[in-house]
Amino acid sequence: MATEVVTPKAMVMADLKGKVDPDWCPGCGDYGVLAAVQKALVELQIPKHQVATISGIGCSSNFPGFIDTYGMHTLHGRSIPVATGFKMANHAMTVLVTGGDGDGFGIGCGHFVHAMRRNVDLLYIVMDNQIYGLTTGQTSPTSRLGMKTKSMPFGSIESPLNPVSLALSAGATYVARGFSGDQKHLTELIKRGIEHKGFSFIDVFSPCVTYNHDNTFQWFRPRVKRLEDNPEHDATDWVAAMEKSLVWGEEIFIGRFFERNDLPSLNEAEPVLKAGPLVQQDVRIPADVAKSFVDELM
Amino acid sequence: MRQSFSVGIGGAAGQGVATPGDIFAKIFSRRGLHLNAYNAYQSIIRGGHTFLTIRTGPDKIATIDGKIDLLIPLNQDTMDRHLGLLGVGAACLYNAETIKPGTPAEGVQMCPIPVSKLADISKNKVAQNTLAIGAGLSMMGVGFAALEEVLTEQFRRKGQAVIDENVSIARAGYDYASQNFKPFAWPLPMTENRYAVLSGNAAMAMGGAAAGVKFYCAYPMSPSTGVLHWMAEHARKAQIMVRQVEDEIGVINMAIGAAHAGVRSMCATSGGGFALMSEGLGLSAQAEIPVVVIDCQRAGPSTGVPTKTEQGDLWQMLGAAFGDYPRVIAAPLDIGDCFTLMAEMFNITDRFQCPGIVLCDLLLSEGRLSVDPEVLNFNPTIDRGELITSNGTADHEPYKRYKITESGVSPRVIPGVPGHTHTVSSDEHDEDGVLISDEYTNTTKRRAMMEKRMRKVQGIEASVPPPEIVGPANADVTLIGWGSTYAVIDEACELLREAGITANHLPIRWLVPLHGDAIVKLLKNAKKTIIVENNFSGQFARYLRSETSFVADGHIRKYDGEPLFPHHIVNAVKEQLAGNTTLSVPVHEINV
């Protein structure tokens, strides 16, 4: 009997449609991010069963339900450690982490910093709307000084955190900023982030059309400037990346701020993973090794 | 009465208490003797007071009892605190030049060693320790060759000169004792048996490795840190990924992530760290991802007494994480059981896709015990439950991660398999993993999913054996304990029999499921029941009562940070049989 060679059909956008449609508010910035992620996976043709999308809690963290990959909707702020454990157990899979600014920079900030220090090979996309949406509009770690919210009705008196400069200082090996209103540009950033071996971070301006009346699409649009349009920007220059990350006002940079490829990712550095993904390794300890463990105690 | 001999070595932390302890332990176990060791210490790196007790003998020795036959005080403090533990036939070996002898009880031999005459103390700071080891073994009737062998191993890495120097000092102590001190009336015997000597922490780590753990992570916290240390040291040989994580919240979530990806995953902590893990435990239950957490109890609440033992976390385990969900909790009975229990726990959590808690305590975690190497079986049954690892037929039904089944168990797929993509969730979800929280009407789905998960409870109960009474039927008294009190109660029963009181013992190993009906049946005809535990409020007694309405006749509770000794139980039982009290709180002999 002749063997029939089946050529797998190319994956198209429709293949990545989740079991349910997003329930985000009409006009929410997160739609643009979802489409950009799906587009990036289609363009890279990574089989969807080899992708895990892991999130925390919040509007944007419902993301894994809206895309057809292996998905995990975890706890508020805990997506990064869950994703780290997942990646360590099966580093053959592409692991995407998606969430919001409250989830990632508020409750999850400690995990965020340590994942970058570890250079875990994850792509972390934060849909940053500078407000808490699902809890109906309170101040977030990236809300601007003076912004009036339900939890700070007289205006925020706490400085916003700068996710890009934080990521740079914590040692992320790929740092970028995107804008939901520039989907094509964002798709390119995501593709590069997926392909980068190490921790990739993309802070995405993803306006909340319901609760944030300051940082709207209209507010961002004239301000965002692509670093890619500036031929002088050298993404291997950490100091230049840091300087550009701090520019905030009439001009705000989006694009690939920084990338280095000379550091091994955690899974590349870990000797135990040289024998292949843990999930595929034999669960039994070889008899001679087991004997040596007991002999040590005799 | 079981024949035993106890050595107590005390001094300030940093004075070198551990090394003589290791040397004695090695020599005892190589003579084929059982041993149990316990270190009472403070949360301090240098200074303070630490007191190591090693009890040995040809019969099973799984407890220490507070009685010391040979005391080696390395400083005045130890002499002052512990000389009172010595009785007729005991001896105290001390540095005659730095330590003033106290007033011993009658029949105690005081053995001053002229340290600077026997060794060059300017070159060897721990000469007094080495001299005392040599002297002690001489008095025990152990030939010098055994000590020479162990010292050679101990200092191998430091080179021949260091070995020679230590051997010669030990020899000087050995010879001095044989000329100047009276040997013990009971020379240390030898048997053909050979035991492995290990801590409960090492046993749990090894048990996890044997059960197929591929991912281990932790944040250091006494007394659980030894698990991390064993894992880290042996990770490469055992092919286990070991990670130290930023905090216990990260720990449990990382372990869950690895477990979801398909490997057996484990973590360990103590009460305070476990408190941080509670939320993650709920994720494990809701997303139905098996994970095993070891809680090594220490005295709390809050940071409590970090280096002292207690059984005070039971209610935290019973109530850990909000909501209503199936969980499994078991307490190992001794250090050998710390190993054995791990594979059993993993099989159950894998089969029922729920969190499992191993409730250990400092007594076992940091104590050491001689264990038959056969117990350390690296080839246990591994049952990973209903797991989908390949696509099977391409035209299978749409995969439902949380399929409603009679057993409550839905087949789990290892991510990476084509045709089975799905989302697992900490939010309540439908059979296919879709969140139900956004739907207009979802009470039916919530109820169905809740019932599906809770149906696992029956299966869990059926797969765990009910407890059994150890010892004679119709005993005068039945002692009920859980976890680490096992060996203490066992020895107390023997001492009671010698005193003419028949006693038996109901050890509880599985706390959830409890098998309450079986317990009540066992206890229904008991003449007198007494619950023994190492906490203030009788956490197990309250739990048993809440589950079964069973109220014990009496209680023995200790909460001073030190373990129960067999004689504490014996005295309390006599007191209670005489009708003097229904609650005994044994007083520890000494402040360590």
Side-chain angles (χ1 to χ4, degrees), chain A residues 231-291:
Chain A
E232 277 153 43
H233 179 65
D234 174 5
T236 65
D237 183 344
W238 188 89
V239 174
M242 190 55 112
E243 279 170 4
K244 291 207 168 58
S245 76
L246 299 173
V247 176
W248 189 274
E250 293 315 304
E251 193 176 50
I252 301 170
F253 291 110
I254 58 169
R256 187 169 59 105
F257 282 74
F258 181 71
E259 183 169 3
R260 64 185 289 186
N261 292 294
D262 56 330
L263 282 179
S265 68
L266 184 61
N267 54 280
E268 286 168 333
E270 170 61 53
V272 166
L273 300 186
K274 298 265 185 286
L278 282 180
V279 71
Q280 286 161 21
Q281 292 187 21
D282 193 354
V283 295
R284 295 282 184 191
I285 306 254
D288 58 324
V289 175
K291 186 176 178 303

Side-chain angles (χ1 to χ4, degrees), chain B residues 30-52:
Chain B
R30 285 182 187 178
R31 293 180 82 78
L33 301 176
H34 277 284
L35 76 91
N36 181 244
Y38 183 76
N39 191 22
Y41 68 109
Q42 283 175 249
S43 187
I44 194 166
I45 303 299
R46 284 186 183 274
H49 179 60
T50 170
F51 190 66
L52 176 71

